[in-house]
Structure formats: structure tokens, C-alpha cells
């Protein structure tokens, strides 16, 4: 993932608020971090534009304020 401009903000959410999202993406996450998760904070990242790369950079998705554009590289 690349971006030329981003902002980061501390949120008022607890880790338990986003735990279902983490468990969905990384099923063993809760077991791996154990009690340490209680010390985590939830941050919000805002991007002006972002480019995600997949398949060793062959395919990518460009997301900007205009919507989602799929590209072939």
C-alpha cells in the first residue's frame, strides 16, 4: 500500500470495539496477543489517496475521493 498524504488520529474506541474485524481477518489474533490487547489503542488513518498492490504488484486498486478504480499494471 502506498500513499502520498495521510493523517492519523487517536479514537475513543476500545480494542474490543474492533475485535470482530481483527478476528475476521486474523482468526488466531486474540490468542496470540492474549492480555496485551488491553494496552492497545485504536487509531484512525485517513488517506487523501491510496494505492493497494496485490499479486506481486501485477494488479492494483486505486482508491481516492472519486471512488474506487481498478487498474492493470
Amino acid at each position: 500500500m502506498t500513499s502520498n498524504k495521510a493523517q492519523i488520529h487517536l479514537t475513543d474506541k476500545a480494542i474490543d470495539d474492533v475485535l470482530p474485524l481483527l478476528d475476521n481477518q486474523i482468526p488466531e489474533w486474540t490468542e496470540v496477543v492474549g492480555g496485551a490487547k488491553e494496552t492497545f489503542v485504536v487509531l484512525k488513518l485517513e488517506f487523501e489517496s491510496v494505492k493497494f498492490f496485490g499479486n506481486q504488484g501485477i494488479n492494483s486498486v486505486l482508491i481516492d475521493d472519486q471512488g474506487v478504480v481498478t487498474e492493470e499494471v
Side-chain angles (χ1 to χ4, degrees), residues 15-25:
I15 194 68
D16 288 334
D17 295 332
V18 296
L19 195 57
L21 297 171
L22 293 169
D23 284 338
N24 187 43
Q25 294 294 314

Side-chain angles (χ1 to χ4, degrees), residues 10-45:
L10 181 61
T11 71
D12 60 354
K13 294 191 180 296
I15 194 68
D16 288 334
D17 295 332
V18 296
L19 195 57
L21 297 171
L22 293 169
D23 284 338
N24 187 43
Q25 294 294 314
I26 311 167
E28 301 84 20
W29 186 85
T30 303
E31 291 79 27
V32 171
V33 298
K37 78 178 179 84
E38 302 307 321
T39 64
F40 293 174
V41 296
V42 179
L43 302 171
K44 177 182 179 181
L45 296 171

Side-chain angles (χ1 to χ4, degrees), residues 38-55:
E38 302 307 321
T39 64
F40 293 174
V41 296
V42 179
L43 302 171
K44 177 182 179 181
L45 296 171
E46 293 181 350
F47 300 97
E48 188 171 298
S49 66
V50 176
K51 190 168 189 176
F52 292 93
F53 296 91
N55 299 325

Side-chain angles (χ1 to χ4, degrees), residues 9 14 17 27 30 37-38 53 55-58 60 62-64:
H9 307 277
D17 295 332
T30 303
K37 78 178 179 84
E38 302 307 321
F53 296 91
N55 299 325
Q56 292 81 34
I58 296 169
S60 66
L62 176 63
I63 302 174
D64 61 19

